[in-house]
Amino acid sequence: MRAVLSVSGVSMDFGGLRALDSVDMEVREGEIVALIGPNGAGKTTFFNCITGIYAPTEGEVFVSPPGRDRINIRHRKPNQVTGLGLARTFQNIRLFPSMTALENVMIGRHCRTRAGLLGAIVRGPVTRREEKGIVERAYSLLVKVGLGRWANEVARNMPYGAQRRLEIARALATDPFLLLLDEPAAGMNPQETQDLKALVTRLRKEFELSILLIEHDMKMVMSVSDRVVVVEYGKKIAEGTPAEVSADPQVIKAYLGEESDA
Amino acid sequence: MRELSRGLLASLWMVVLTAPLLVVRVNTTDKVVTWRWGNMLWMAIGSLLLFLAWRWAMARRGGDVQAADQDSWFDKLLARIGQGPLRLPVILGLVLVALVLPLFVSMYEMDIYARALIYVGLGLGLNIVVGMAGLLNLGYAAFFAVGSYTYALLNHHYALDFWLALPLGGLFAALFGVILALPVLRLRGDYLAIVTLGFGEIVRLVLQNWDSFSFGPSGIANIARPTLFGREFGVQDSAIFIYYIALALVAVVIFVTKRFQDSRVGRALLALREDEIACEAMGIDKTGVKVMAFALGASFAGVFGVVFAAKQAFINPDSFTFIESAMILSIVVLGGMGSIVGVAIAAIILQLMPEYFRFMADYRMLIFGAALVLMMLFRPEGLVRAKREHYTVKDLSPQTEDK
Ligand SMILES: Nc1ncnc2c1ncn2[C@@H]1O[C@H](COP(=O)(O)OP(=O)(O)O)[C@@H](O)[C@H]1O
Ligand SMILES: [Mg+2]
């Protein structure tokens, strides 16, 4: 299987703190990989490094969009990385709160559409067709994640679980080949988590996605992912199938350690 | 009671502070000092009353904290006019009044109205930059200057026609906007304000001092008035003609602003104001989008700069000082950032008030300042709160939902 994301030796320093310590990882085509680890292990920092929000202190990040050679994303801005086909959601939801669900997803289409100043003012047939396409696509994505009836609701008035799904729909609107989900089930009740799990597997199939997922809910991680990567204190401590990882003594120690702390 | 004693203290303080100015008058020719104790009494009473009125107003405002988020009777009135069946008649009525106005007013007043319209255009241009894009531009008058000098110089040297200068002025101003914005927009907000402030001064100083290029402080005179298909107008008809030109351009600018607001780029601007990081993660090139807004706003100033030069027939750098930029900014802030109607109303009020209240001319800046402060305290969102129509899906039912 072809690797769509390959990360080698990525380290990230914040002043004296080494949040990531030479992490290697790969996501192959069509895979769902879970990234797990205790709070503060550096998972979100890892996402920020591969989406261009942070420039890693050391190491390389390569992405391979379908039908293209692999591309080093160093010195690329976050919007360029999204343009290459990586889309993400945020751990602390970052929607556009005063815009409707539909408008939120429409923003996701920005990087796949063209109309500029002239188009905006003249609003010729091309622009109008494009705008119509944006609305239709956005709405169909909302329906796909089960938010069709929320389309006209302002994002900040939506229930928490729906906001998380909306972030996924918005990310999908950028036509990604690799979807990065940062704790998508956080704050959801068991039923919502169950639905989310079904959604993630369905989306992978329907959009031919590869998915990298940060998650704390072990039941979800174990049942949805093909492979699990475990980090602690910025270091990768284990990698393998869910069964392998859950039997790994180091992983058990990391997780038990965290629980006895709490 | 405590309020009263605090009020007394405040007025005592004011009395002491203003005593040297208001009470003591030294007559240097007769070498005598007159003591005007009466003034002191008035000062004390005046400041006490002001203080109490202030406390009362603040207390009333504190009473309903949510007031800021709620629609006042004023908002409701605007909403009723703006959205109901009254909308079209009101707009048509205003257009009609604007069209027949020249029949009823003197040439002098015509000039004032044309100037008010120019400021509406400037306000709407800056509104795109400050109100919609959230970029604080303190040197907006520079773009106005670019437009004015484009026409003045090209007309002086090459007898360029007004109608050709109009788009050229807009284009040049937009070009200046892009050149300024590209390096600066990478910086954070506060730097942008400082750099634009500096840019505004640089442009003015260059115009002031580069005599061989801009004729320095003495400016450029005898700028040609606009013609209509080659026909020239006398002084009187010219004033009316320029009024109509300004009116038409304001209509164009409103149209352009509305179209821009409801476009892909306008939407991105809106999202950028809510969350820049999320926008970047959605693939929006934030610098690019902001540069576009900056340039569009600048182009409005350029176009109206050409109109201004044609109206005045004479320009010099004094018309493009920082005060001018501040005035246009006040129009946007007072009118309501992002609101086309609000900005237009504020521009007209701020331009016409001084003309019709000439007897208060000495206190003009004082009243203006007080109005700004009061506005910020009691209605920070400006005269008209910016409202926007959401994109909606008309028909929610047909597609079956996946669960
Ligand atoms: N921008 C930042 N500046 C300084 N320290 C940071 C920054 N972002 C994250 N950190 C630190 O890096 C470590 C990893 O954080 P994070 O990646 O958010 O962990 P996780 O997502 O695994 O819970 C934490 O100790 C956190 O305090
Ligand atoms: Mg995290």
Side-chain angles (χ1 to χ4, degrees):
Chain A
M1 269 293 176
R2 207 170 74 100
V4 290
L5 173 77
S6 53
V7 177
S8 60
V10 159
S11 301
M12 183 75 212
D13 294 340
F14 295 112
L17 178 83
R18 176 146 279 213
L20 286 177
D21 195 357
S22 51
V23 175
D24 301 312
M25 129 160 340
E26 227 177 51
V27 177
R28 289 173 220 131
E29 202 160 25
E31 239 184 349
I32 297 184
V33 178
L35 180 62
I36 65 170
N39 272 323
K43 305 182 296 294
T44 299
T45 305
F46 182 75
F47 267 26
N48 288 338
C49 285
I50 57 181
T51 52
I53 292 182
Y54 297 151
T57 320
E58 285 163 31
E60 308 289 345
V61 178
F62 292 98
V63 297
S64 317
R68 288 176 67 175
D69 288 339
R70 63 180 205 165
I71 299 163
N72 191 339
I73 68 134
R74 179 171 283 272
H75 304 307
R76 296 210 187 224
K77 289 190 279 182
N79 57 301
Q80 295 170 326
V81 174
T82 308
L84 289 175
L86 266 70
R88 68 173 292 181
T89 66
F90 292 89
Q91 179 177 356
N92 45 344
I93 300 177
R94 298 193 87 124
L95 289 165
F96 308 116
S98 79
M99 300 171 90
T100 64
L102 183 76
E103 287 166 335
N104 268 276
V105 185
M106 285 168 75
I107 292 293
R109 292 303 294 160
H110 186 95
C111 62
R112 302 293 175 220
T113 43
R114 298 252 61 86
L117 271 186
L118 206 63
I121 294 160
V122 177
R123 208 179 278 176
V126 178
T127 310
R128 253 177 305 181
R129 209 173 316 127
E130 186 181 274
E131 283 285 297
K132 191 156 168 274
I134 293 174
V135 174
E136 282 168 2
R137 183 71 196 283
Y139 182 58
S140 85
L141 283 169
L142 280 175
V143 172
K144 290 240 161 72
V145 300
L147 291 176
R149 70 199 167 87
W150 290 100
N152 297 340
E153 186 60 71
V154 176
R156 86 160 76 76
N157 294 342
M158 291 168 64
Y160 194 78
Q163 292 195 9
R164 288 231 174 263
R165 280 161 175 262
L166 179 53
E167 269 214 333
I168 296 176
R170 189 179 64 175
L172 286 173
T174 65
D175 292 343
F177 65 89
L178 175 62
L179 184 63
L180 308 167
L181 304 173
D182 197 344
E183 303 200 16
M188 283 187 170
N189 64 35
Q191 180 57 46
E192 285 174 322
T193 309
Q194 197 64 32
D195 294 344
L196 180 75
K197 205 173 78 188
L199 178 70
V200 168
T201 21
R202 191 157 49 78
L203 290 180
R204 156 168 71 169
K205 209 168 119 207
E206 198 170 335
F207 293 91
E208 298 173 344
L209 289 171
S210 315
I211 295 174
L212 177 59
L213 155 107
I214 297 175
E215 192 44 70
H216 279 306
D217 187 295
M218 278 309 140
K219 267 217 322 260
M220 173 157 177
V221 168
M222 292 306 155
S223 61
V224 86
S225 44
D226 304 315
R227 220 147 43 80
V228 180
V229 173
V230 191
V231 286
E232 191 190 14
Y233 298 120
K235 283 201 177 75
K236 185 164 87 175
I237 58 169
E239 182 173 3
T241 63
E244 284 166 13
V245 164
S246 53
D248 190 303
Q250 235 184 322
V251 176
I252 294 168
K253 194 168 134 249
Y255 270 84
L256 288 180
E258 193 201 24
E259 257 157 45
S260 57
D261 280 353
Chain B
M1 206 57 230
R2 229 180 103 228
E3 287 294 281
L4 199 65
S5 62
R6 282 180 62 183
L8 283 173
L9 212 69
S11 71
L12 184 71
W13 183 73
M14 276 306 280
V15 164
V16 173
L17 207 67
T18 55
L21 271 174
L22 288 178
V23 178
V24 192
R25 166 177 276 172
V26 184
N27 192 324
T28 40
T29 42
D30 299 347
K31 296 212 161 63
V32 287
V33 177
T34 37
W35 300 86
R36 296 173 297 171
W37 296 111
N39 280 352
M40 185 181 260
L41 188 67
W42 286 120
M43 191 67 220
I45 293 174
S47 51
L48 179 63
L49 285 180
L50 263 181
F51 182 87
L52 290 178
W54 180 253
R55 299 297 302 184
W56 176 75
M58 288 312 274
R60 232 185 61 136
R61 180 169 170 261
D64 46 337
V65 187
Q66 283 148 353
D69 271 346
Q70 267 160 19
D71 285 359
S72 65
W73 60 269
F74 185 65
D75 292 312
K76 285 189 187 121
L77 181 75
L78 283 172
R80 180 158 297 176
I81 295 172
Q83 286 146 18
L86 277 174
R87 182 189 164 94
L88 200 62
V90 167
I91 293 176
L92 285 179
L94 284 175
V95 171
L96 197 69
V97 168
L99 283 178
V100 300
L101 194 70
L103 296 177
F104 300 103
V105 299
S106 67
M107 190 188 126
Y108 171 70
E109 278 175 297
M110 212 63 270
D111 194 63
I112 295 165
Y113 285 119
R115 203 185 63 204
L117 287 176
I118 289 176
Y119 276 84
V120 172
L122 291 173
L124 288 173
L126 189 60
N127 178 45
I128 290 183
V129 182
V130 179
M132 285 167 65
L135 305 167
L136 187 51
N137 181 348
L138 293 178
Y140 191 64
F143 301 112
F144 190 39
V146 169
S148 286
Y149 272 87
T150 300
Y151 179 44
L153 286 172
L154 289 177
N155 183 261
H156 180 87
H157 295 300
Y158 307 107
L160 186 81
D161 187 58
F162 171 83
W163 296 106
L164 275 177
L166 212 53
L168 269 186
L171 219 61
F172 274 132
L175 204 67
F176 266 77
V178 171
I179 291 170
L180 177 68
L182 266 180
V184 174
L185 283 182
R186 295 165 192 280
L187 305 174
R188 280 227 316 280
D190 341 8
Y191 296 102
L192 182 71
I194 296 166
V195 172
T196 50
L197 179 71
F199 174 73
E201 281 306 282
I202 289 170
V203 167
R204 189 178 61 82
L205 288 172
V206 165
L207 292 174
Q208 186 113 330
N209 294 306
W210 190 1
D211 288 358
S212 58
F213 169 71
S214 66
F215 304 98
S218 55
I220 302 164
N222 294 323
I223 303 167
R225 297 210 161 78
T227 54
L228 182 61
F229 303 119
R231 225 180 73 202
E232 289 181 26
F233 291 96
V235 176
Q236 184 130 20
D237 290 338
S238 230
I240 296 175
F241 187 43
I242 284 177
Y243 168 82
Y244 279 128
I245 290 174
L247 191 64
L249 284 176
V250 164
V252 169
V253 157
I254 289 177
F255 174 80
V256 168
T257 308
K258 278 212 165 287
R259 279 272 165 104
F260 180 67
Q261 237 169 2
D262 294 336
S263 71
R264 166 177 172 268
V265 181
R267 228 166 25 232
L269 269 184
L270 199 74
L272 272 175
R273 283 222 315 273
E274 305 221 333
D275 193 328
E276 291 207 353
I277 291 183
C279 273
E280 290 196 276
M282 287 305 110
I284 292 175
D285 171 12
K286 65 175 180 184
T287 317
V289 168
K290 285 177 177 177
V291 167
M292 271 192 223
F294 203 85
L296 184 65
S299 75
F300 287 13
V303 167
F304 281 93
V306 174
V307 178
F308 178 75
K311 178 175 90 67
Q312 301 296 93
F314 163 77
I315 54 163
N316 73 352
D318 289 345
S319 307
F320 313 103
T321 55
F322 171 68
I323 294 293
E324 211 61 26
S325 299
M327 177 54 106
I328 305 166
L329 187 62
S330 317
I331 287 173
V332 176
V333 173
L334 281 177
M337 291 206 262
S339 160
I340 296 176
V341 179
V343 169
I345 295 176
I348 291 172
I349 290 179
L350 284 185
Q351 287 308 305
L352 295 189
M353 279 286 222
E355 299 301 332
Y356 289 102
F357 293 89
R358 279 241 171 251
F359 57 93
M360 296 198 302
D362 290 348
Y363 303 102
R364 187 177 158 201
M365 276 305 167
L366 195 70
I367 296 171
F368 184 44
L372 263 179
V373 171
L374 288 177
M375 195 79 183
M376 287 305 100
L377 279 166
F378 293 103
R379 206 179 157 80
E381 70 270 33
L383 215 52
V384 179
R385 188 179 295 162
K387 281 233 170 73
R388 167 181 86 86
E389 280 185 31
H390 289 289
Y391 291 84
T392 49
V393 184
K394 298 279 168 337
D395 188 3
L396 282 182
S397 45
Q399 286 171 295
T400 46
E401 292 227 359
D402 300 296
K403 185 72 213 280

